RNA sequence: GUGGAUGUAGCUCAGUGGUAGAGCCCCGGAUUGUGGCUCCGGUGGUCGUGGGUUCGAUCCCCAUCAUCCACCCCA
């Protein structure tokens, strides 16, 4: 509260602080992801948050909502148009191409970090949000499609989410087949123009496939009778899709074919998929991706097949939270709280803490700082997650010992020689 | 960009046209070196911001900002 009356500065709308009480679940999630990627042979890549605006315009599609109205775009001091990345696929591909990672070789990459889209925030949707992305380059068969889907399925399993998410699957066909289907569809919609709502009329120009996704009940019958994407696939895409389905079945992964699953970004072709949940309100997609075989060429590289997906970390954490799936032992905190009984032993407490940290590198020890009454020091020990409090008073200093008090178990406290602490403390903590 | 709801203590929320309260939290004490339970006391708010009506507004009116939810779109 300032007396000056100056306006409070707050965080930008839709950009959230991650508070100390939140970060343990993020770390829990991130640790799961990191080891999983390693187990599947995917290597981490890190890209800048800012790119040339043209990268996104050329990859995501000029007429998509993201590019048209959701990007944080600004001019650099030298007049270049720069953009805060709205997604990771384009950046990842740019980096891989720029450093020759696609030259005569395949790549399996993953990344994690903030993305930016200027949308109205709501539950599970923020202007700065975080994604984990997975991209595989140079594989054209359905095995890699299955592999990345299985990777995601295993993550749900490890997080305890399997029962709460559904895999939706579709194929968009080759870019040529998709373009042909698009014309058929536009012709159909034009025949039934009178039934289209305002949004759909707009999409008829921009992205007619998305009309299939409409939730408007008045259009349901007309949409049901519309030409089906899956019936207009080219033979190669059809075989690819059938093979993928067989592989998923062999691996025991359940899926639902959703012929209206289209994905919003222009670069997708063939396989597209989404993992959805009903537990998060209207932002039900927690992970989505697919194939984008044409994108490398579109960005000026040699034709290179590619497949990938991105998951929304906020949404997944929200889901873990609502389902109470973050184990309490993952919540971190200290093992031991070391306190001087009064100010006379402050220095001894400090040096003892340092000695223990040298002798027991695995130990999480919080040293009481800031004085206060003995009672308040004990209260802080209690508030901490520590199972053991180490007390250091005049008597202990005089005898070179420390009092060990158990804060969570019904055990007698005891006095231990400071020199024996490093060997005894780990035992006391495991029992 | 559109619609709806909500802004009172650090948090969760009551409340009234006569300048505010509870619970939790925090601090101190009951208990000179022993936390959690209990009891007592205390700190903390220009009632989102700006304007209007009024003798007087936290309350009524207008505007604005923010948050949440939904639409759109997306992870």
């Amino acid at each position: 509260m300032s007396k000056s009356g100056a306006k409070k500065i707050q965080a930008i709308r839709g950009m959230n602080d991650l508070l100390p009480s939140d970060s343990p679940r993020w770390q829990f999630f991130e640790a799961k992801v990191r080891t999983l990627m390693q187990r599947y042979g995917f290597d981490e890549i890190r890209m800048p948050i800012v790119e040339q605006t043209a990268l996104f315009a050329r990859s995501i599609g000029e007429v998509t909502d993201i590019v048209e109205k959701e990007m944080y775009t600004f001019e650099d001091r030298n007049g270049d148009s720069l953009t805060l990345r709205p997604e990771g696929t384009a950046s990842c591909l740019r980096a891989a191409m720029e450093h020759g990672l696609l030259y005569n070789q395949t790549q399996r990459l993953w990344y994690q970090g903030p993305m930016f889209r200027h949308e109205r925030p709501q539950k599970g949707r923020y202007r700065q949000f975080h994604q984990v992305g997975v991209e595989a380059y140079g594989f054209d068969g359905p095995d890699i499609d299955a592999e990345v889907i299985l990777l995601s399925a295993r993550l749900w399993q490890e997080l305890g989410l399997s029962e709460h998410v559904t895999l939706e699957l579709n194929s968009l066909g080759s870019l040529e087949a998709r373009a042909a289907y698009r014309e058929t569809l536009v012709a159909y919609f034009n025949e039934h123009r009178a039934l289209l709502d305002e949004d759909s009329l707009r999409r008829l120009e921009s992205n007619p496939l998305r009309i299939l996704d409409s939730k408007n009940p008045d259009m349901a019958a007309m949409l049901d009778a519309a030409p089906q994407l899956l019936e207009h696939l080219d033979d190669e895409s059809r075989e690819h899709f059938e093979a993928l389905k067989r592989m998923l079945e062999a691996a025991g992964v359940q899926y639902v074919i959703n012929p209206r699953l289209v994905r919003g970004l222009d670069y997708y072709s063939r396989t597209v998929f989404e993992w959805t949940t009903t537990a998060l309100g209207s932002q039900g997609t927690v992970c989505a991706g697919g194939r984008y075989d044409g994108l490398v060429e579109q960005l000026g590289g040699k034709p290179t097949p590619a497949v990938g997906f991105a998951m929304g970390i906020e949404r997944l954490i929200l889901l873990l939270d609502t389902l109470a799936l973050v184990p309490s032992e993952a919540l971190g905190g200290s093992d031991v709280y070391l306190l001087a009984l009064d100010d006379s032993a402050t220095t001894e407490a400090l040096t003892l803490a340092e000695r223990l940290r040298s002798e027991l590198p695995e130990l999480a020890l919080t040293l009481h700082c800031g004085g206060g009454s003995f009672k308040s020091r004990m209260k802080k020990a209690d508030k901490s997650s520590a199972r053991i409090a180490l007390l250091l008073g005049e008597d202990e200093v005089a005898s070179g010992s420390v009092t060990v008090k158990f804060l969570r178990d019904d055990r007698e406290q005891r006095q231990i020689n400071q020199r024996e602490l490093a060997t005894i403390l780990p035992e006391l903590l495991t029992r």
Side-chain angles (χ1 to χ4, degrees), chain A residues 95-313:
Chain A
M97 290 167 70
E98 187 167 330
H99 297 95
L101 266 43
L102 305 185
Y103 192 77
N104 280 345
Q105 57 194 314
T106 59
Q107 291 290 343
R108 303 178 207 214
L109 305 174
W110 74 279
Y111 53 84
Q112 181 211 47
M115 308 292 165
F116 303 84
R117 291 182 200 169
H118 192 105
E119 301 178 276
R120 272 292 266 274
Q122 67 186 69
K123 186 174 183 176
R125 194 178 69 185
Y126 310 100
R127 290 187 173 179
Q128 175 176 331
F129 62 104
H130 297 77
Q131 289 186 330
V132 171
V134 166
E135 317 283 355
Y137 303 131
F139 304 92
D140 57 10
D143 50 354
I144 191 72
D145 301 29
E147 179 77 348
V148 299
I149 290 174
L150 290 173
L151 185 156
S152 59
R154 188 177 294 277
L155 182 61
W156 314 145
Q157 194 187 335
E158 302 216 332
L159 292 170
L161 291 175
S162 296
E163 303 304 309
H164 306 277
V165 291
T166 304
L167 174 60
E168 297 184 27
L169 212 55
N170 194 21
S171 176
L172 301 178
S174 66
L175 290 176
E176 297 75 32
R178 188 175 161 194
Y181 170 70
R182 182 186 158 124
E183 279 183 35
T184 312
L185 195 62
V186 169
Y188 174 82
F189 284 141
N190 273 321
E191 279 172 40
H192 301 274
R193 215 183 164 85
L195 289 171
L196 296 177
D197 59 21
E198 198 184 331
D199 278 335
S200 299
L201 285 171
R202 184 171 47 78
R203 288 188 204 136
L204 194 53
E205 308 299 324
S206 59
N207 194 346
L209 271 63
R210 285 220 66 92
I211 299 176
L212 293 171
D213 231 359
S214 172
K215 293 166 194 163
N216 187 341
D218 296 339
M219 291 168 46
M222 185 271 292
L223 292 179
D224 283 340
Q228 291 282 305
L229 178 57
L230 286 174
E231 284 158 21
H232 288 75
L233 290 187
D234 50 299
D235 290 343
E236 244 182 275
S237 294
R238 188 191 317 281
E239 278 166 35
H240 184 103
F241 194 47
E242 292 304 321
L244 171 61
K245 288 193 284 186
R246 282 198 301 274
M247 289 172 189
L248 292 176
E249 276 156 30
V253 173
Q254 308 253 316
Y255 60 83
V256 174
I257 301 294
N258 178 356
R260 294 180 182 176
L261 180 59
V262 165
R263 316 283 318 113
L265 285 53
D266 274 4
Y267 52 60
Y268 285 110
S269 61
R270 292 196 178 172
T271 311
V272 290
F273 67 93
E274 261 183 33
W275 288 96
T276 59
T277 178
T278 53
L280 286 185
S282 70
Q283 307 303 322
T285 302
V286 295
C287 174
R291 241 178 207 283
Y292 47 98
D293 292 339
L295 187 55
V296 179
E297 196 175 6
Q298 198 177 313
L299 290 176
K302 277 200 309 185
T304 305
V307 58
F309 67 75
M311 49 199 179
I313 302 183

Side-chain angles (χ1 to χ4, degrees), chain A residues 70-92:
Chain A
E70 295 177 359
M71 296 204 304
Y72 281 91
T73 296
F74 58 96
E75 267 202 8
D76 195 4
R77 287 181 186 273
N78 59 15
D80 295 338
S81 180
L82 306 183
T83 293
L84 260 42
R85 63 182 184 193
E87 56 113 42
T89 296
S91 300
C92 185

Side-chain angles (χ1 to χ4, degrees), chain A residues 5 14 60 66 75 87 143 159 166 179 294 310 322 333 373 393 402 419 431:
Chain A
I60 297 169
I66 292 179
E75 267 202 8
E87 56 113 42
D143 50 354
L159 292 170
T166 304
T322 35
S373 67
V402 64
R419 281 191 300 276
R431 276 185 292 128

Side-chain angles (χ1 to χ4, degrees), chain A residues 334-349:
Chain A
S334 275
D335 305 317
V336 170
Y337 193 94
L338 172 55
L339 61 103
L341 294 203
D342 55 60
D343 292 343
S344 73
T346 300
T347 304
E348 285 80 0

Side-chain angles (χ1 to χ4, degrees), chain A residues 393-401:
Chain A
E394 267 180 63
D395 298 350
E396 286 85 351
V397 170
S399 63
S401 67

